[in-house]
Amino acid sequence: MAINRRDNDLKAVFTRRALLLGTAQLALFGVLAGRLYYLQVLESDKYTLLAEENRINMRLLPPRRGRILDRYGIELASNRRNYRVLIVAEQARDVDATLAALAELIQVDEVQKQRVKREIERRRKFVPVVVAENLSWDDFAKVNLHSPDLPGVQLDVGETRDYPFGPDFAHVVGYVGAVSEGDQGDDPLLELPGFRIGKSGVEKVYDERLRGRAGHSQMEVNAYGRAIRELTRYDGQPGDDVVLTIDAELQRMAMQRFGEESGAAVVMDVHTGDILALVSNPGFDPNWFNVGITQAQWRQLNSDKFKPLINKAVQGTYPPGSTFKMAVAIAALEAGAVDASTRVFCPGHMEFGNTRFHCWKKGGHGAMNVVSALEESCDIFFYEAARRIGVDKIAEVAKKLGLGAVTGLDVTGERRGLIPTREWKRAALNQPWHPGENLITGIGQGYVLATPLQLAVMAARIANGGYAVEPRIVRPSATFGPEPDQRLAKDRWPSLGIKREYLELAQEGMIRVTSPPRGTAQRARITLAEYAMAGKTGSAQVRRISRLERETRVRKNEEKPWEERDHALFVAYAPIHAPRYACAVIVEHGGGGSTAAAPIARDIMLEVQKRDPSRKERSVPGVTTAAAELKGGG
């Protein structure tokens, strides 16, 4: 009986345990079934997508960068084939040996080798790493020929930026370079290895427009991320072309005309504001920055005394010298300090306080009015005019004419120059304005600074009758050839509020500057009447002339070290009878404006008029040949 009872108890315990175990198993299988139902039925779309994303890799494709063209469609920045050599670490049995073998075929220095090794360490072993790019066809073919003996080496043909004219347009067009940390933004294109963006010039200002929109490809990959095959491909939207107002042939001619001189030139349309040439000499090869500038090239650019990296046309600020005298003349006329008949006697110097102020002509000019003072660039007349009106009135007119402020031209690094006032000196230097400083300001020296672009704008506003033309370097519509909108400045721009009679006196003075017998630039005049040019010479001192030098003249400009010579300047407009183009030229340390800058301006102004497609051979309307010659035709 006891044994049977024990057996029954054991059976009851086993049955309960089996029941509990079965229940637990049933619950577990229920949970698993529910989870499977949730994953495979309720969340099936989500996990199908995740599985596809693991199998399919979306990759960005860089778009083709837009071109930069001149006003006639000549390519100033384009794209060319980029022959590249890459290496895949997992396919190379020995990376060092492969790089050494490549170095026997193409240029691969130690710096490149170390860079490749660092890239390999940072990336997965199956990701290609660029060893060399922008190879010549001969080098590319050489590597291709030996590729069977170069394990892990891949050959690739892509695209890279190309600047076919090199230094001639470096400062206008700019260049592209690799994306730096400071350039990172929301555009995923900026994260692509080797992607280039605009770093200066039009390339930088219009970078997003030139860049285009990324394409993409769908790649089937394995569990390790290795590409197996391409499923779909969309090449994206290429960047837009940008058409400049620049005339490529005129720009190249102007660069060549400077020769070995350091300086700048600007040519603009006085009615539209189109910049036809923006020259800064010497230039540099922008292709260096695209392909990767070497240390030797960088040292060469930075050590050059002519500063080729600076865009002198918009970043160079210089005392305008006597080219500033038109602004002073108009200011004095507006203030009523002088009129057309006012005469000032020039004995060659002027006493003011305990200081003697000298005219450039030692013996003096005699009696001068506002026109003859511009014609012969008499310093004494403008000392006296500036003394009568003061610096603030001069500044008011100078700013109307476009000096002392950035023009807003679509290039990088433009500087504002400086037109001083009494308030400016108190704020900037914590010093009062001294009366003698009015005189120095009156001849464009002292604190006055301007860029060649601003001087060209000044000449254009005087030439077009006093309208606030603003310069532009990109055409408003992507059209080629002559400007379709032929409206004059008076129908495009607001008036400066300067009386026409004052502008005409300034114009007459500029006309006489290039006319015999007394014009300071008569030897640089354009002798063809229909192309005749008006202008104004200027020389800007870079150091104060000592009393001994002034009295003995033992050292002429050409006898001084280059860095101590005066800057040579010239501003102009043409043709005289119907102004269309304005120009400003500066030759750094060139000496006299009439001898160094004016001949360059003459050749440029003659060329721009001959190249004008809207012009036809014609005589000056209503002007006889003799009269035309009197106005500067010579």
Side-chain angles (χ1 to χ4, degrees):
M1 290 290 293
I3 294 173
N4 290 337
R5 190 178 303 113
R6 190 181 305 111
D7 291 341
N8 290 334
D9 291 341
L10 290 173
K11 289 179 180 180
V13 170
F14 178 77
T15 301
R16 286 196 299 274
R17 289 177 176 175
L19 182 61
L20 290 172
L21 180 61
T23 301
Q25 289 176 337
L26 183 62
L28 178 61
F29 281 113
V31 170
L32 290 175
R35 182 62 177 169
L36 288 173
Y37 177 80
Y38 174 79
L39 295 176
Q40 295 186 9
V41 178
L42 299 181
E43 294 290 314
S44 63
D45 293 340
K46 173 183 175 180
Y47 287 100
T48 298
L49 178 62
L50 289 175
E52 281 297 304
E53 288 181 347
N54 285 332
R55 183 179 71 88
I56 298 174
N57 191 318
M58 186 75 74
R59 299 184 179 180
L60 285 178
L61 300 175
R64 184 182 181 89
R65 191 171 179 85
R67 300 172 300 167
I68 299 176
L69 310 167
D70 92 325
R71 67 190 297 116
Y72 300 115
I74 296 175
E75 291 184 349
L76 308 180
S78 57
N79 304 291
R80 61 174 173 81
R81 287 187 174 183
N82 180 10
Y83 298 109
R84 305 193 302 172
V85 174
L86 306 94
I87 187 169
V88 180
E90 73 171 4
Q91 297 175 5
R93 293 186 292 271
D94 185 336
V95 171
D96 288 329
T98 300
L99 291 175
L102 273 174
E104 295 179 1
L105 301 173
I106 58 175
Q107 177 67 35
V108 182
D109 57 28
E110 287 302 318
V111 175
Q112 288 174 281
K113 291 178 182 179
Q114 294 303 318
R115 175 189 58 78
V116 170
K117 291 178 183 179
R118 288 194 300 269
E119 289 289 319
I120 288 173
E121 291 175 359
R122 289 174 44 230
R123 300 183 181 186
R124 297 180 182 181
K125 298 301 181 183
F126 57 82
V127 175
V129 172
V130 175
V131 177
E133 57 183 340
N134 295 293
L135 296 176
S136 68
W137 171 251
D138 290 342
D139 285 342
F140 187 71
K142 191 186 301 182
V143 176
N144 204 0
L145 181 64
H146 291 84
S147 59
D149 301 322
L150 299 169
V153 168
Q154 291 184 357
L155 301 172
D156 175 71
V157 181
E159 282 193 347
T160 190
R161 203 61 162 166
D162 183 52
Y163 303 101
F165 296 108
D168 289 348
F169 298 89
H171 296 102
V172 177
V173 173
Y175 58 86
V176 296
V179 180
S180 64
E181 291 185 8
D183 297 321
Q184 293 291 345
D186 298 332
D187 193 338
L189 274 174
L190 302 181
E191 300 178 6
L192 290 176
F195 190 73
R196 300 286 196 269
I197 62 171
K199 291 290 188 175
S200 73
V202 173
E203 288 275 30
K204 181 175 182 178
V205 176
Y206 287 88
D207 180 65
E208 292 189 7
R209 178 171 161 184
L210 290 162
R211 192 186 302 173
R213 302 181 67 179
H216 62 267
S217 66
Q218 286 186 323
M219 302 294 296
E220 185 176 6
V221 297
N222 62 16
Y224 297 99
R226 183 180 292 107
I228 297 174
R229 63 190 175 102
E230 185 176 74
L231 300 177
T232 61
R233 183 182 185 89
Y234 168 66
D235 289 327
Q237 180 179 334
D240 294 333
D241 291 341
V242 173
V243 180
L244 305 186
T245 61
I246 294 289
D247 181 340
E249 291 303 317
L250 178 68
Q251 174 93 3
R252 297 186 70 197
M253 173 267 169
M255 285 287 289
Q256 293 170 5
R257 183 60 183 81
F258 269 88
E260 299 299 320
E261 297 283 4
S262 175
V266 179
V267 181
M268 69 180 288
D269 188 308
V270 305
H271 298 295
T272 66
D274 283 1
I275 298 295
L276 286 91
L278 192 78
V279 172
S280 180
N281 194 64
F284 61 90
D285 191 346
N287 291 296
W288 286 2
F289 291 88
N290 179 36
V291 303
I293 190 169
T294 66
Q295 291 183 353
Q297 290 169 335
W298 182 247
R299 284 194 299 269
Q300 175 187 335
L301 292 175
N302 279 282
S303 62
D304 192 328
K305 70 176 182 179
F306 293 148
K307 307 298 182 186
L309 290 176
I310 294 176
N311 184 353
K312 300 178 180 70
V314 299
Q315 294 175 305
T317 54
Y318 310 91
S322 294
T323 62
F324 190 63
K325 289 176 178 175
M326 281 85 72
V328 179
I330 293 171
L333 290 164
E334 277 198 343
V338 301
D339 58 29
S341 62
T342 301
R343 287 187 173 271
V344 173
F345 185 79
C346 170
H349 63 272
M350 174 179 177
E351 303 292 341
F352 186 79
N354 59 359
T355 304
R356 173 171 285 191
F357 293 84
H358 295 270
C359 184
W360 69 268
K361 189 174 182 180
K362 191 173 182 180
H365 292 94
M368 291 277 108
N369 61 25
V370 66
V371 172
S372 61
L374 287 170
E375 175 187 13
E376 299 188 52
S377 200
C378 175
D379 293 332
I380 301 303
F381 183 95
F382 291 98
Y383 287 149
E384 178 61 20
R387 184 193 67 80
R388 295 181 184 183
I389 61 176
V391 68
D392 289 342
K393 180 58 181 178
I394 295 173
E396 177 190 329
V397 172
K399 290 176 180 178
K400 284 183 182 180
L401 294 175
L403 305 178
V406 295
T407 65
L409 193 70
D410 290 334
V411 293
T412 50
E414 183 184 1
R415 298 180 66 182
R416 65 183 302 114
L418 175 60
I419 299 299
T421 62
R422 289 179 297 175
E423 182 181 354
W424 165 83
K425 191 178 181 187
R426 283 195 301 269
L429 304 178
N430 195 27
Q431 296 176 6
W433 186 265
H434 300 293
E437 292 175 316
N438 291 327
L439 277 66
I440 297 300
T441 301
I443 61 168
Q445 295 276 176
Y447 297 111
V448 184
L449 295 172
T451 66
L453 175 61
Q454 291 170 347
L455 293 176
V457 171
M458 177 188 72
R461 291 182 177 183
I462 292 172
N464 70 18
Y467 295 94
V469 61
E470 295 180 357
R472 67 185 186 191
I473 203 167
V474 174
R475 300 194 80 159
S477 59
T479 57
F480 301 122
E483 169 62 45
D485 184 354
Q486 294 298 316
R487 288 178 299 162
L488 299 179
K490 65 180 181 179
D491 300 317
R492 296 170 179 265
W493 308 100
S495 172
L496 298 174
I498 300 173
K499 287 186 178 180
R500 185 169 185 83
E501 61 188 276
Y502 301 156
L503 291 166
E504 288 176 347
L505 287 171
Q507 291 172 352
E508 183 62 25
M510 294 178 71
I511 291 170
R512 291 195 185 184
V513 165
T514 56
S515 304
R518 296 185 179 87
T520 54
Q522 57 175 297
R523 294 183 180 178
R525 68 189 185 277
I526 295 176
T527 58
L528 298 172
E530 65 175 307
Y531 297 129
M533 169 183 74
K536 182 69 190 78
T537 55
S539 297
Q541 296 174 9
V542 298
R543 57 184 287 276
R544 187 171 182 177
I545 301 175
S546 69
R547 182 176 179 180
L548 177 64
E549 285 180 305
R550 187 178 298 279
E551 291 179 351
T552 62
R553 297 196 174 189
V554 294
R555 299 175 77 196
K556 297 180 180 179
N557 250 299
E558 58 271 18
E559 296 170 350
K560 299 175 185 177
W562 181 79
E563 294 82 0
E564 295 182 7
R565 300 174 189 171
D566 297 344
H567 295 315
L569 301 100
F570 192 77
V571 298
Y573 68 83
I576 288 173
H577 64 276
R580 185 72 201 190
Y581 302 105
C583 176
V585 172
I586 180 168
V587 180
E588 290 187 322
H589 307 291
S594 62
T595 56
I600 294 176
R602 173 199 60 206
D603 295 345
I604 293 174
M605 291 297 275
L606 183 58
E607 181 70 14
V608 69
Q609 292 180 86
K610 287 183 175 180
R611 288 186 56 78
D612 186 343
S614 67
R615 286 179 62 89
K616 295 180 179 179
E617 291 298 325
R618 60 184 184 272
S619 59
V620 180
V623 181
T624 65
T625 302
E629 290 180 354
L630 182 61
K631 283 182 171 288

